[in-house]
């Protein structure tokens, strides 16, 4: 089984990369070998464009993984989520793709007559198939943005526009899109580093989120590589 493990930055999954390297039988470039299982580690860079480019290049090269995991931190829109909590994203949408109307309202691609088609559904949402639904993570709906909202006004507009969205990142929808286009089930894990709120970096708990993310990631990957 070939697993692709991807993150925007090394910082987010470095403890797990070190943990995997300590257990691998052999290492060939960015691919770690564990007998029947290989884990290929790819850092995409931050943002939707960098992620789409990196994954498009990887999947275009063939030898597709049977499972792709994107791991990272993210902002919680849903105040019921806790800082440091690790969630699985089960659906994604591009939160700022489209146009701005005269009154400042966001218009999606379909609303300006450009429905994106498959793998989006009729609501322009990218949905993960139910295959890995039994994994023990809370499932959340996410949006991905190029520009993270940082003022009360734009956050209120985003929440009104996407009332179902619980988590926000800058890469998730590109990961879903690249996986679904290639028939690969996307497993996106996000640890909550902050609430989506007027910009206040001092309130973020990045260290705690990364610790929790890596604990959960190692528990998950451990099940695949255990002898
Ligand atoms: O300085 C800022 O205002 C700021 C806003 C959002 C993210 C950052 C980062 O340095 C982290 C980028 C990284 O983390 C993910 N992330 C974390 N929290 C959020 C969020 O509230 N909204 C969107 N993305 C978030 C993101 O996927 C990036 O990879 C700094």
């Amino acid at each position: 089984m070939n697993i692709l493990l991807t993150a925007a930055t090394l910082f987010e999954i470095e403890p797990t990369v070190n943990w995997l390297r300590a257990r691998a039988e052999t290492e060939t470039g960015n691919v770690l070998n564990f007998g029947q299982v290989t884990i290929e580690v790819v850092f995409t860079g931050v943002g939707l464009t960098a992620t789409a480019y990196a994954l498009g290049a990887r999947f275009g090269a063939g030898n597709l993984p049977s499972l792709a995991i994107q791991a990272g931190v993210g902002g919680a829109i849903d105040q019921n989520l806790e800082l440091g909590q690790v969630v699985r994203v089960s659906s994604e949408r591009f939160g700022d793709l489209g146009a701005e109307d005269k009154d400042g309202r966001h218009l999606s691609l379909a609303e300006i007559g450009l429905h994106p088609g498959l793998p989006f559904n009729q609501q322009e949402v990218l949905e993960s198939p139910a295959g890995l639904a039994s994994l023990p993570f809370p499932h959340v709906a996410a949006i991905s943005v190029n520009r993270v909202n940082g003022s009360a006004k734009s956050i209120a507009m985003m929440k009104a526009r996407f009332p179902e969205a619980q988590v926000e990142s800058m890469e998730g929808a590109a990961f879903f899109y690249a996986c679904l286009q290639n028939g690969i089930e996307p497993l996106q894990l996000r640890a909550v580093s902050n609430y989506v709120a007027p910009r206040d970096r001092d309130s973020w708990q990045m260290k705690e989120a990364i610790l929790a993310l890596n604990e959960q990631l190692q528990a998950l990957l451990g099940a695949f590589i255990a002898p």
Side-chain angles (χ1 to χ4, degrees), residues 161-178:
R161 179 75 176 96
F162 304 115
E164 73 290 348
Q166 295 167 276
V167 162
E168 181 182 88
S169 82
M170 299 173 74
E171 300 84 19
F175 169 70
F176 263 48
Y177 185 83

Side-chain angles (χ1 to χ4, degrees), residues 48-111:
L48 292 163
T49 305
T51 304
Y53 178 81
L55 296 181
R58 170 59 192 87
F59 294 157
N63 186 25
L64 294 178
S66 20
L67 172 66
I69 303 171
Q70 184 187 55
V73 294
I77 302 166
D78 180 348
Q79 300 281 331
N80 295 313
L81 297 175
E82 289 171 22
L83 291 177
Q85 187 172 356
V86 179
V87 294
R88 179 184 178 194
V89 173
S90 53
S91 72
E92 272 285 355
R93 64 185 306 155
F94 288 89
D96 52 13
L97 180 60
E100 184 183 17
D101 209 352
K102 287 187 286 294
D103 57 4
R105 210 168 52 89
H106 169 255
L107 297 170
S108 70
L109 285 186
E111 288 169 332

Side-chain angles (χ1 to χ4, degrees), residues 1-4 36-40 58 63-68:
M1 177 183 202
N2 302 332
I3 299 173
L4 177 74
Q36 301 292 320
V37 176
T38 66
I39 301 182
E40 177 182 354
R58 170 59 192 87
N63 186 25
L64 294 178
S66 20
L67 172 66

Side-chain angles (χ1 to χ4, degrees), residues 25-225:
E25 286 172 19
T26 58
E27 203 175 317
T28 318
N30 63 334
V31 180
L32 302 165
N33 303 295
F34 304 85
Q36 301 292 320
V37 176
T38 66
I39 301 182
E40 177 182 354
V41 183
V42 170
F43 298 105
T44 56
V46 173
L48 292 163
T49 305
T51 304
Y53 178 81
L55 296 181
R58 170 59 192 87
F59 294 157
N63 186 25
L64 294 178
S66 20
L67 172 66
I69 303 171
Q70 184 187 55
V73 294
I77 302 166
D78 180 348
Q79 300 281 331
N80 295 313
L81 297 175
E82 289 171 22
L83 291 177
Q85 187 172 356
V86 179
V87 294
R88 179 184 178 194
V89 173
S90 53
S91 72
E92 272 285 355
R93 64 185 306 155
F94 288 89
D96 52 13
L97 180 60
E100 184 183 17
D101 209 352
K102 287 187 286 294
D103 57 4
R105 210 168 52 89
H106 169 255
L107 297 170
S108 70
L109 285 186
E111 288 169 332
I112 57 173
L114 300 169
H115 196 289
L118 290 173
F120 294 90
N121 68 14
Q122 279 307 308
Q123 289 69 45
E124 295 171 88
V125 172
L126 297 165
E127 287 179 306
S128 175
L132 294 165
S134 61
L135 287 174
F137 299 101
H139 291 192
V140 298
I143 60 168
S144 296
V145 290
N146 282 300
R147 192 185 76 152
V148 174
N149 295 306
S151 70
K153 185 180 169 198
S154 59
I155 292 168
M157 282 180 82
M158 180 271 289
K159 286 183 176 176
R161 179 75 176 96
F162 304 115
E164 73 290 348
Q166 295 167 276
V167 162
E168 181 182 88
S169 82
M170 299 173 74
E171 300 84 19
F175 169 70
F176 263 48
Y177 185 83
C179 287
L180 295 176
Q181 286 286 42
N182 285 279
I184 301 165
E185 181 160 359
L187 174 54
Q188 182 188 164
L189 299 179
R190 292 275 160 190
V192 176
S193 53
N194 59 285
Y195 290 107
V196 175
R199 190 162 187 267
D200 172 22
R201 285 298 300 257
D202 292 345
S203 68
W204 285 38
Q205 292 192 13
M206 189 65 94
K207 222 169 69 185
E208 293 79 356
I210 288 179
L211 196 69
L213 177 68
N214 283 274
E215 263 175 29
Q216 303 276 329
L217 200 49
Q218 287 163 34
L220 175 70
L221 292 171
F224 289 101
I225 65 171

